[in-house]
Amino acid sequence: MATMCVTELLFTVWKHAGSDECVLLIQSSVCALRIVVSDDSSQLPVVRASDKCSESGRGLVLASETADAWGVNPNSFGAGTGTSAGKDVWVEFRARPKGAAA
């Protein structure tokens, strides 16, 4: 699930943000895996209603339904580098005991 979210978030930047660059940050701890994709566009992502016939538009829907949490931090390009433009879009997967259902 985490791999799919990385792919979807990076594709969303490429297709929709119009950003010249992006940063991928993967943080892991005993409690969770957090994936942050940052870009220099101030355009915030929008979760769209799923259209069964459309070839795109499901990336954030998939991320929001598979991750335990997700969100957007505007004006924080580079996962806290202090620049005044852009955003961080993040997803988080909480750790589960071995053998527990997802």
Side-chain angles (χ1 to χ4, degrees):
M1 296 297 174
T3 302
M4 180 197 62
C5 284
V6 168
T7 304
E8 292 298 334
L9 294 177
L10 289 172
F11 182 77
T12 299
V13 169
W14 175 77
K15 176 135 180 144
H16 300 289
S19 182
D20 290 331
E21 59 181 305
C22 70
V23 175
L24 171 64
L25 175 67
I26 299 173
Q27 300 170 310
S28 65
S29 70
V30 175
C31 300
L33 174 69
R34 185 176 178 96
I35 300 161
V36 183
V37 174
S38 307
D39 64 62
D40 60 0
S41 169
S42 60
Q43 180 181 350
L44 297 179
V46 176
V47 178
R48 295 187 275 168
S50 184
D51 176 359
K52 294 177 184 176
C53 296
S54 178
E55 292 182 9
S56 65
R58 295 180 187 86
L60 289 176
V61 172
L62 290 170
S64 67
E65 290 182 1
T66 58
D68 292 309
W70 81 279
V72 180
N73 299 330
N75 301 322
S76 57
F77 173 63
T81 58
T83 60
S84 61
K87 64 190 166 294
D88 295 342
V89 180
W90 57 269
V91 293
E92 190 170 278
F93 297 89
R94 292 184 197 102
R96 291 177 175 74
K98 251 186 177 175

